[in-house]
Amino acid sequence: MDPLSPAVIVNAELLPFYVGRRVRTVMQVVRSDVLAVIGKSPDEKQLIVKGSPPAPLTSFVEVIGIVNSDKSIKAELWTNFGDEIDMLSYHKLCQLANGEFKHLFL
Amino acid sequence: MHANQFDGNAAFAGGGFMPSQTNQGGESSLTPSKNRESQTLLPLTIKQINHALQSSDDRTGLTIDGVGVNTVTLVGRVCNKSGQITEFKFVLDDGTGTIECTKWLHEPADAMAVESILNGMYVRLYGQLKGFQGKTLSIFSLRPVTDFNEIASHFIECIYVHLYNSRLQYTQASIPSQQHAPNSIQITPTKGYQAQAIPPNQFSGQHNNGQKSVQELVLEYLALPTIRCILKVVLFSFISLTPITYN
């Protein structure tokens, strides 16, 4: 398994800034099929992740991949995060990690 | 309470990552990492470690935000694991960078514990930087992450400790007379911060007008489930830049 760093922690509103770059985010799975998963980002917006998810998928899944457009990510790695993730805290972390404390992460 | 102070050490007494107050006052001109009394445990991102290594002078020991780096704690994914009988090696990837890690296997219990660690797994580890220019992490303790809120929690902790130590550095730099008097009264970071910042009365006045008071907000948070409570208290304290009370 190869390292996938650096991967910026993002939510949906930050995707347009990182098109073509590797990012990571946690999303709540809404619908999944063989080619893509549609989910809710930490800031409650729709996110489309292309790729083959592992089966079974838990309610929350972390995705690391390359940003395709301002709404979709092409997944490189999926990790099941279980059924109880605090999305608000993750959303706040995204804002801090891309704002005032960016120098700690990138 | 007598004043609005956020006593970081009291609030996180169990955590162990706050630098010792007794040594922060008179120590800035010494080498903190060599002082036995200031054995710190710092939650860090790998980017912070790599950045500090690049800009450090090896002789004085590694410091981050003015604090000597002794033990560190990281959370990340295991990659490229390789095992031999005496050691368990892998690369830790936390999304901000990568670092090589080694856990020495002294007892059969160690070997059994690492058997269950697989590539791609998220782990929490505690260790020390070793090797030439500190490029390898020698691990004391390693365990898989089971509640994935720990990942966000760890990064939020890194931000908080960075902010706390940076403010400490700033207030010490602004109080030069106390720096050179090691036998003087111990400086608590909160007192130093108050001396330089806007007096807290101004903040509490603003909060009490038409909004919930800081105390009420804190009591609300304390009623929440534990993880969210901890995360929100941490976020609230530095987002609002207001000292908070625990009464």
Side-chain angles (χ1 to χ4, degrees), chain B residues 87-231:
Chain B
E87 63 183 6
F88 177 66
K89 278 185 158 167
F90 60 93
V91 171
L92 190 78
D93 169 13
D94 73 349
T96 71
T98 57
I99 191 165
E100 279 179 30
C101 303
T102 307
K103 175 142 179 52
W104 298 99
L105 308 173
H106 301 296
E107 296 163 16
D110 291 338
M112 280 177 53
V114 300
E115 253 175 40
S116 57
I117 310 278
L118 306 170
N119 277 328
M121 221 178 217
Y122 275 96
V123 295
R124 152 81 72 181
L125 58 82
Y126 298 84
Q128 278 186 331
L129 292 168
K130 298 279 187 209
F132 178 60
Q133 291 185 339
K135 285 203 176 128
T136 316
L137 196 70
S138 169
I139 297 175
F140 303 143
S141 159
L142 177 68
R143 61 165 171 80
V145 165
T146 49
D147 180 348
F148 290 93
N149 285 305
E150 186 164 8
I151 297 168
S153 172
H154 169 73
F155 287 125
I156 291 170
E157 261 190 345
C158 293
I159 291 173
Y160 177 73
V161 171
H162 163 74
L163 194 65
Y164 185 95
N165 290 333
S166 306
R167 283 186 183 167
L168 186 56
Q169 251 187 322
Y170 172 74
T171 57
Q172 284 184 337
S174 330
I175 316 171
S177 56
Q178 283 165 320
Q179 262 189 352
H180 299 302
N183 297 324
S184 69
I185 298 163
Q186 296 167 5
I187 300 170
T188 63
T190 51
K191 284 182 190 158
Y193 176 65
Q194 272 193 317
Q196 298 307 310
I198 299 164
N201 293 334
Q202 251 177 295
F203 280 122
S204 56
Q206 287 167 4
H207 278 277
N208 284 331
N209 289 335
Q211 294 181 24
K212 287 186 187 168
S213 71
V214 174
Q215 285 87 343
E216 280 170 337
L217 285 169
V218 171
L219 286 172
E220 257 184 42
Y221 288 139
L222 289 174
L224 290 173
T226 314
I227 291 175
R228 182 175 282 207
C229 169
I230 293 170
L231 292 172

Side-chain angles (χ1 to χ4, degrees), chain A residues 37-76:
Chain A
V37 173
I38 297 179
K40 210 163 62 158
S41 69
D43 50 352
E44 316 247 308
K45 299 200 170 62
Q46 195 189 61
L47 203 56
I48 300 167
V49 182
K50 297 178 184 163
S52 315
L57 268 183
T58 55
S59 306
F60 293 93
V61 89
E62 186 197 45
V63 166
I64 303 178
I66 310 287
V67 180
N68 266 346
S69 73
D70 59 356
K71 272 197 164 57
S72 76
I73 297 174
K74 179 164 165 299
E76 293 174 308

